[in-house]
Amino acid sequence: MDLTYSVEHEKYREEVIDFLKGWPLSGEDARLPIEEQESLFRQHGIDAGYVYRNVPREYGGAGQAPDALKDSIVREEFFRVSAPWDLLNQGAGMLVPTLLEFGTEEQKRRFIPKALTGEERWCQGYSEPGSGSDLASLQCRALRDEEHYVLNGQKIWTSNAKQAHFMFGLFRTDPAASKHAGISYLIVDMSAEGIDVRPLREMTGGSEFNEVFFNDARVPVEFRVGAEGEGWAVSRATLIHERNLIGNPNMMRDTFEDLLDLARRTQRGGQAAIKDPYVRQRLMEIEGYVRTVETSNMLQFTATLRGEPMKAMRPMMMNKLYSTDTMQRIQRCAFDLLGGEGMLAPSPEDIVGWARNTTSTGWVEAYLFSLGPAIAGGASNIQLNIIGERGYGLPRDPRPPEKS
Amino acid sequence: MEFGLSEEQDLMQETVRQFINQECPPTRLHEIFNAGEGHDGRIWQGLADLGLCGLMLPEKFGGAELEVLDLALVCEELGYGAFPGPFMMHSLAGVAIAKAGSSSQQDLWLPQIANGAQVATLALGEGANGWECSEWSTEVRDGRLHGIKDFVSHAALADLILVGLSDGHFAVVETGAEGLSVESQDGIDRSRPISRVKFDGVRCEVLNESGACVQAIQDVGLALLAADAFGAASRLVDLAVEYTKTREQFGRKVAEFQAVKHQLARLALEVEPTRALFWYAAHALDHLPIEASRSVAMAKAHISERGIEAARAVVELHGGLGFTWECDVQLWFKRMMFDRTYLGTPEFLRERCANLGGL
Ligand SMILES: Cc1cc2nc3c(=O)[nH]c(=O)nc-3n(C[C@H](O)[C@H](O)[C@H](O)COP(=O)(O)OP(=O)(O)OC[C@H]3O[C@@H](n4cnc5c(N)ncnc54)[C@H](O)[C@@H]3O)c2cc1C
């Protein structure tokens, strides 16, 4: 056990910190719209070798030699100053790693660069009205017509589908094959004919997820990732990336620090709530969970670095549920601290997904939003099944007979 | 940057676990538990032969000069085995003498502690919630020790008692000394029996070489208790998993019921990730002094609380059997009751964390 960094890595950290003096931008650049500033700085970051470190240069990444420690140094330092870093959306966060693993050379060159910059936006088309936790029961069809697949059916809960240029999704290409074997992973151009996107409204008041209807929409065969009928295996890889996105310890720490600030600002019985013995107890109990997320993450990181991830198998399986539970504990506490202001509705500016919380209505939005990750990417009950069955060898749920 | 154990540490844990499996399986644990002494000379000698009694002591006294983390890893295994005996307090007493004893005091006691020939223990608490020296009244007047200490583990067995003084120092007394009386408190965890010890003008020596160290030793104790609690909680999870995989009702193993499976998964979820919390806290004592006191308090509070909740659920998962004296579960349940309480309940420690964190 040694929590110090080597001279090489210390030096690397200094370089990163030095580089980050360039954020926020100054001079002319500082007058650009914020999105453009972010893109600009992200591109500087790629050129300097800090952003998308592990994506090869030819696909628009920084193409650095793999070094997980440097990855984590960069992430820490970029987070510390809230500088634009790797995008953590469906495109850069999920599609890109999947293509790097399973994509053809053509697909990588065509799709990765613009997913990294965010110039082309992506959505994930897995869930259907009848297929959520039991994803492999999905019915949306993609039947072969010479050099195309013809799509018919519906996806639902598709986040960002309205803004997306492309979807990656799972479709049934062989209705005769058994449940898992008939599925393929396809890339769908959302501007194709026969695709209808209808926004849904979430309980937060925002409108992030959608229904997507396919009516004879055509997808060229070259847009299939992996072999026909192997979509399930390809999607498992994506899912792991999704769960990694959900369990981010830096976000957890930041949100907890915001909670402390809220407790300092809030008045109760003539003093700051943070001086109230009950509130202190609750905050410190929550911090026990937050510290566990942080330290367990370090443990898993070292096990992976040493090439012994199996040694950390159980905590890895627990990450998603442990993190979403912890986040919900933070949010419940914040909601109570808000008092009457907990009855206020979030304003449109508050509805941004995860963000630093500074206003009361921002906290209300976060209180509601924290339920989303507990459902998406495998609901909590499904996580408990995974932990029990794969982590502790408990009996699998009885399987219903396969429908013919 | 490495947050993981070394091969030596893995091996040491493996060795201790095998030793406990062989020498002290649950059948033997029940015997010792029922006898009430919480000790077995033969297995104590076994620990000494493995070189564990002086794990953190200097090599020149026969110790292994290892770190708090190493000692905590042994405590994890002892918790996992609900291993009876004075190991934790004995180790802490040795560390206290090594930290604050004069060289002649060290020469006198440490070799005997390191090889386990003498058993040492700690006398700290005064009354139900008196874990901080500012609340103590035990003191030395004219070279004689006066005071009353509660919850002294293995006092009847020990040769030496390190007594925490109100000024934050330790006094050392030998248990044959005049004016000392030991009265059993009939503790719930019979693997670590506790007594009230009265000191009525007892001859003693004060450890005075490098200032007050009671708080520092208590911090080490918190790390060890967190580790012990983690080990015990892990065993409780394993017991429940094993039992529900074999027990049948309604024609199936009860673990096949999803309600049971999810209950088990939740237990495991509350326990398993906290391994990293006690590693970090123990490591901090040697390497991250600024964070150490807060880290150990947080680890002990969190793990012991999660652990005792797990223990309650594990009793329930064993049905009527779980409620019996004969069932193994009660041994670990009571281990958790001790670990949760000794040196301060979670509530007490969380208030300390809040203060140390500037809240
Ligand atoms: C904010 C948000 C964003 C999302 N974004 C996307 C997206 O971009 N793309 C996409 O494809 N999907 C997305 N989803 C959908 C998400 O993946 C599904 O909602 C999720 O997989 C659960 O499926 P379901 O909604 O059909 O619930 P169901 O599967 O119907 O589950 C209902 C309840 O039953 C429980 N349950 C189900 N099966 C079992 C079982 N075997 N044992 C015990 N309990 C069980 C579940 O835990 C849940 O509590 C998103 C969801 C949310 C909330």
Side-chain angles (χ1 to χ4, degrees):
Chain A
M1 186 130 348
D2 178 3
L3 301 185
T4 60
Y5 287 86
S6 67
V7 177
E8 185 200 343
H9 286 107
E10 285 293 359
K11 206 170 134 259
Y12 187 75
R13 187 186 294 278
E14 275 163 33
E15 287 165 21
V16 177
I17 292 172
D18 208 47
F19 172 79
L20 286 170
K21 291 190 183 130
W23 181 260
L25 299 178
S26 53
E28 281 292 294
D29 293 341
R31 280 193 281 277
L32 294 167
I34 185 69
E35 295 80 27
E36 282 178 43
Q37 293 190 38
E38 287 177 358
S39 306
L40 190 64
F41 189 80
R42 185 169 292 115
Q43 191 56 51
H44 292 332
I46 296 173
D47 298 339
Y50 300 133
V51 175
Y52 300 124
R53 279 181 36 84
N54 298 310
V55 178
R57 285 250 175 224
E58 63 262 41
Y59 309 132
Q64 300 296 300
D67 184 330
L69 259 186
K70 289 187 177 171
D71 293 346
S72 82
I73 290 170
V74 171
R75 186 175 53 233
E76 271 170 36
E77 297 305 331
F78 272 63
F79 247 84
R80 205 188 303 283
V81 298
S82 307
W85 183 61
D86 297 18
L87 288 167
L88 298 176
N89 57 18
Q90 284 92 341
M94 295 186 228
L95 170 89
V96 168
T98 307
L99 281 188
L100 285 172
E101 199 172 336
F102 298 97
T104 62
E105 189 55 34
E106 279 262 81
Q107 290 168 343
K108 291 182 199 171
R109 287 185 188 279
R110 165 66 189 83
F111 294 117
I112 295 179
K114 289 182 177 168
L116 296 183
T117 57
E119 187 184 335
E120 286 177 347
R121 287 187 293 274
W122 288 76
C123 63
Q124 177 193 36
Y126 285 4
S127 307
E128 296 179 9
S131 304
S133 300
D134 184 12
L135 181 60
S137 69
L138 60 92
Q139 293 300 320
C140 208
R141 295 203 175 188
L143 296 185
R144 189 80 175 250
D145 177 22
E146 303 201 333
E147 287 314 294
H148 284 83
Y149 290 103
V150 181
L151 274 49
N152 279 291
Q154 185 194 344
K155 294 288 175 187
I156 196 169
W157 322 129
T158 322
S159 302
N160 308 320
K162 195 79 199 166
Q163 301 78 26
H165 302 91
F166 292 95
M167 166 191 280
F168 59 88
L170 294 178
F171 297 88
R172 193 159 293 283
T173 44
D174 183 358
S178 71
K179 196 171 167 183
H180 295 82
I183 296 173
S184 299
Y185 185 109
L186 303 181
I187 290 172
V188 182
D189 183 339
M190 295 297 281
S191 65
E193 264 184 48
I195 299 179
D196 182 18
V197 179
R198 296 184 203 158
L200 296 163
R201 194 158 182 223
E202 287 114 37
M203 66 188 285
T204 57
S207 186
E208 201 179 76
F209 59 29
N210 303 269
E211 294 179 289
V212 182
F213 295 88
F214 301 99
N215 193 353
D216 286 333
R218 295 175 79 82
V219 168
V221 170
E222 312 88 80
F223 278 19
R224 189 189 67 228
V225 181
E228 190 169 290
E230 307 225 316
W232 189 252
V234 175
S235 77
R236 294 294 91 183
T238 324
L239 206 65
I240 293 170
H241 297 300
E242 180 173 7
R243 287 188 191 148
N244 289 346
L245 293 185
I246 289 174
N248 180 332
N250 302 89
M251 284 185 189
M252 197 73 72
R253 171 55 62 179
D254 283 352
T255 311
F256 181 72
E257 295 294 333
D258 292 344
L259 178 65
L260 294 181
D261 280 345
L262 177 64
R264 287 193 187 97
R265 286 202 309 274
T266 305
Q267 288 294 308
R268 265 205 185 177
Q271 61 178 1
I274 203 160
K275 294 293 174 197
D276 178 300
Y278 172 71
V279 172
R280 291 160 82 79
Q281 284 294 317
R282 203 166 164 193
L283 291 170
M284 290 301 93
E285 178 170 9
I286 293 172
E287 193 179 356
Y289 283 102
V290 174
R291 287 298 293 151
T292 302
V293 170
E294 291 174 324
T295 53
S296 180
N297 202 269
M298 291 163 67
L299 179 155
Q300 294 165 43
F301 181 71
T302 292
T304 309
L305 215 59
R306 286 178 175 177
E308 304 173 331
M310 283 311 287
K311 279 197 169 173
M313 178 194 71
R314 284 172 172 174
M316 280 178 187
M317 278 176 186
M318 293 171 172
N319 267 345
K320 197 230 162 198
L321 183 52
Y322 204 88
S323 305
T324 54
D325 275 1
T326 301
M327 190 59 102
Q328 294 193 75
R329 283 192 178 89
I330 295 175
Q331 297 302 342
R332 285 194 191 96
C333 183
F335 181 61
D336 288 349
L337 286 171
L338 290 176
E341 295 186 357
M343 294 186 289
L344 302 178
S347 65
E349 305 85 77
D350 295 320
I351 300 172
V352 287
W354 185 84
R356 298 303 297 256
N357 294 303
T358 48
T359 64
S360 296
T361 51
W363 277 108
V364 172
E365 192 270 346
Y367 175 70
L368 298 171
F369 182 83
S370 64
L371 279 161
I375 299 165
S380 297
N381 279 348
I382 301 302
Q383 302 301 316
L384 290 172
N385 268 5
I386 294 173
I387 294 165
E389 294 171 10
R390 296 196 213 141
Y392 291 83
L394 297 169
R396 302 184 73 94
D397 282 355
R399 283 178 184 278
E402 283 226 356
K403 281 181 220 144
S404 50
Chain B
M1 171 68 199
E2 282 234 303
F3 191 71
L5 304 184
S6 66
E7 277 176 34
E8 293 79 17
Q9 287 168 327
D10 281 342
L11 187 69
M12 181 177 68
Q13 286 203 296
E14 190 52 43
T15 310
V16 176
R17 188 170 293 208
Q18 273 176 16
F19 169 75
I20 296 175
N21 282 343
Q22 270 166 24
E23 298 298 321
C24 213
T27 44
R28 179 78 191 111
L29 280 181
H30 280 285
E31 287 167 15
I32 297 173
F33 206 82
N34 289 336
E37 263 180 44
H39 179 66
D40 172 339
R42 210 172 59 90
I43 58 173
W44 177 252
Q45 190 54 47
L47 283 187
D49 293 344
L50 288 173
L52 300 176
C53 289
L55 212 62
M56 281 182 66
L57 301 182
E59 281 180 7
K60 65 177 173 187
F61 300 118
E65 266 188 61
L66 295 176
E67 299 190 340
V68 179
L69 177 61
D70 301 283
L71 188 53
L73 294 170
V74 173
C75 288
E76 179 197 343
E77 291 303 331
L78 300 190
Y80 190 83
F83 191 82
F87 181 82
M88 188 188 289
M89 306 309 157
H90 176 86
S91 302
L92 290 170
V95 174
I97 295 173
K99 235 185 187 46
S102 66
S103 63
S104 63
Q105 288 168 329
Q106 297 194 5
D107 289 341
L108 179 63
W109 288 312
L110 289 184
Q112 307 288 324
I113 289 179
N115 68 18
Q118 288 203 330
V119 171
T121 191
L122 292 182
L124 297 169
E126 295 183 18
N129 287 302
W131 296 110
E132 287 192 333
C133 56
S134 59
E135 297 176 63
W136 296 343
S137 54
T138 302
E139 58 182 7
V140 176
R141 291 194 300 270
D142 304 328
R144 301 278 171 163
L145 181 65
H146 299 269
I148 302 175
K149 290 288 186 183
D150 290 297
F151 321 123
V152 181
S153 150
H154 287 95
L157 173 77
D159 303 292
L160 290 180
I161 305 181
L162 269 73
V163 184
L165 305 177
S166 57
D167 65 1
H169 289 79
F170 276 112
V172 185
V173 301
E174 297 186 345
T175 46
E178 211 170 304
L180 181 149
S181 62
V182 175
E183 177 192 322
S184 165
Q185 286 179 304
D186 195 13
I188 188 85
D189 176 9
R190 292 158 74 99
S191 70
R192 290 173 295 182
I194 46 178
S195 305
R196 171 171 295 152
V197 183
K198 292 186 182 158
F199 306 93
D200 193 4
V202 179
R203 262 189 50 186
C204 66
E205 286 197 34
V206 175
L207 303 181
N208 207 0
E209 202 60 18
S210 56
C213 76
V214 161
Q215 186 55 50
I217 295 301
Q218 293 208 25
D219 279 352
V220 179
L222 289 172
L224 303 187
L225 287 160
D228 195 272
F230 176 80
S234 306
R235 181 61 166 268
L236 284 158
V237 171
D238 288 355
L239 288 173
V241 166
E242 256 166 63
Y243 183 72
T244 55
K245 275 203 252 189
T246 48
R247 170 72 177 170
E248 290 189 15
Q249 285 292 283
F250 300 96
R252 344 184 208 161
K253 315 282 186 226
V254 292
E256 288 178 42
F257 296 109
Q258 202 191 44
V260 172
K261 177 159 63 182
H262 284 192
Q263 206 178 351
L264 289 167
R266 282 246 169 242
L267 288 179
L269 182 75
E270 291 285 3
V271 174
E272 176 59 35
T274 65
R275 180 192 302 278
L277 201 57
F278 94 75
W279 282 8
Y280 189 92
H283 180 75
L285 284 169
D286 281 312
H287 299 280
L288 306 163
I290 311 168
E291 304 175 40
S293 288
R294 190 160 190 271
S295 293
V296 292
M298 183 148 296
K300 201 279 209 178
H302 190 77
I303 297 174
S304 67
E305 181 144 281
R306 304 283 77 84
I308 206 147
E309 287 308 315
R312 295 187 77 85
V314 170
V315 169
E316 212 179 304
L317 282 163
H318 280 70
L321 181 67
F323 198 61
T324 65
W325 187 269
E326 282 70 34
C327 185
D328 293 346
V329 172
Q330 70 126 343
L331 304 177
W332 278 275
F333 195 113
K334 290 166 183 176
R335 188 96 179 175
M336 288 303 319
M337 289 171 77
F338 184 105
D339 286 347
R340 181 178 189 275
T341 311
Y342 193 74
L343 296 186
T345 59
E347 197 180 270
F348 168 85
L349 293 172
R350 288 194 179 118
E351 180 54 32
R352 182 185 294 169
C353 287
N355 284 327
L356 291 173
L359 261 67

